[in-house]
Amino acid sequence: MRMNTEQPMEERLWNYIDGLSSQAEKSAIEALLTEDREWREKYNELLNIHRLLDASELDAPSMRFTRNVMEEIARFHVAPATRTYINKNIIRGIGAFFLTMILGLTVFVLTRFNWTGGSSDNVAAKDIDLGLSKLKNVDVSKAFNGAYITVFMLIAVVMGFILLDLYLQRKKTAANP
């Protein structure tokens, strides 16, 4: 009698030998072992393999194994650090690109402001406050009306800060070797 199961016979037998089967699975396998010759032969084969694995000792590497491996690696030329793989001109170009984009976007935003908010015909001495009173009349909604401009500005500023941080870290490590 052969039982149609989802798991193959060998996997089910290994689970049975290792004690990982459920109680229902154990009783089903025991019934198959008493009735089916193929299951019995496979079970005996796997049980012998299990006993051989339990009886054998694993070979431990020699105490000097790690040192031998490290000495062998030291004989070969190890690749230089990644610092030599990165072309500094490319990094500078990327930094210049982002700085140019930030500067261009800043100029664009500043040109979108309405800087002539009030009348400047009758300027009295008391109104001379370096133009700070006119900042109340500046309309900033025209500059930041697009979601794309806001997202791009945010990304450009974050990338600028990251590049500045990398530059300052490299400068710090170069000063303190």
Side-chain angles (χ1 to χ4, degrees):
M1 165 174 135
R2 181 171 282 261
M3 210 176 173
N4 265 343
T5 61
E6 295 172 7
Q7 292 179 324
M9 173 186 5
E10 194 168 310
E11 184 177 340
R12 290 177 70 196
L13 286 172
W14 273 119
N15 288 339
Y16 177 75
I17 291 170
D18 291 335
L20 302 174
S21 299
S22 65
Q23 191 59 34
E25 182 73 16
K26 283 182 186 178
S27 56
I29 290 176
E30 288 169 357
L32 283 170
L33 290 175
T34 57
E35 297 172 1
D36 193 346
R37 186 175 66 82
E38 183 182 354
W39 276 78
R40 229 181 353 262
E41 288 174 358
K42 193 61 154 172
Y43 172 73
N44 289 330
E45 177 186 337
L46 294 177
L47 192 60
N48 286 335
I49 292 172
H50 184 65
R51 287 181 186 146
L52 284 173
L53 288 174
D54 282 345
S56 66
E57 286 185 32
L58 296 176
D59 292 335
S62 68
M63 297 295 278
R64 191 164 155 71
F65 176 74
T66 304
R67 189 170 186 160
N68 289 341
V69 169
M70 295 308 290
E71 286 174 356
E72 191 66 28
I73 290 172
R75 287 186 336 135
F76 294 103
H77 176 67
V78 179
T82 58
R83 189 177 301 194
T84 59
Y85 293 127
I86 298 173
N87 188 347
K88 292 182 181 182
N89 291 332
I90 293 174
I91 301 298
R92 288 185 187 121
I94 293 170
F97 169 75
F98 277 109
L99 289 176
T100 304
M101 293 304 291
I102 290 170
L103 182 65
L105 195 57
T106 305
V107 168
F108 172 74
V109 167
L110 291 177
T111 58
R112 301 284 296 202
F113 288 147
N114 183 9
W115 292 101
T116 58
S119 164
S120 62
D121 295 338
N122 299 326
V123 178
K126 63 179 182 172
D127 290 337
I128 299 177
D129 59 359
L130 301 175
L132 295 177
S133 64
K134 292 183 181 181
L135 285 180
K136 291 186 270 181
N137 300 330
V138 173
D139 185 19
V140 234
S141 64
K142 289 183 181 178
F144 295 106
N145 60 354
Y148 295 116
I149 291 175
T150 306
V151 169
F152 180 76
M153 183 70 159
L154 178 68
I155 291 171
V157 168
V158 168
M159 291 301 293
F161 281 134
I162 290 171
L163 287 171
L164 178 66
D165 181 55
L166 289 173
Y167 171 74
L168 292 176
Q169 281 181 354
R170 286 187 183 169
K171 192 174 181 181
K172 183 179 176 182
T173 56
N176 298 329

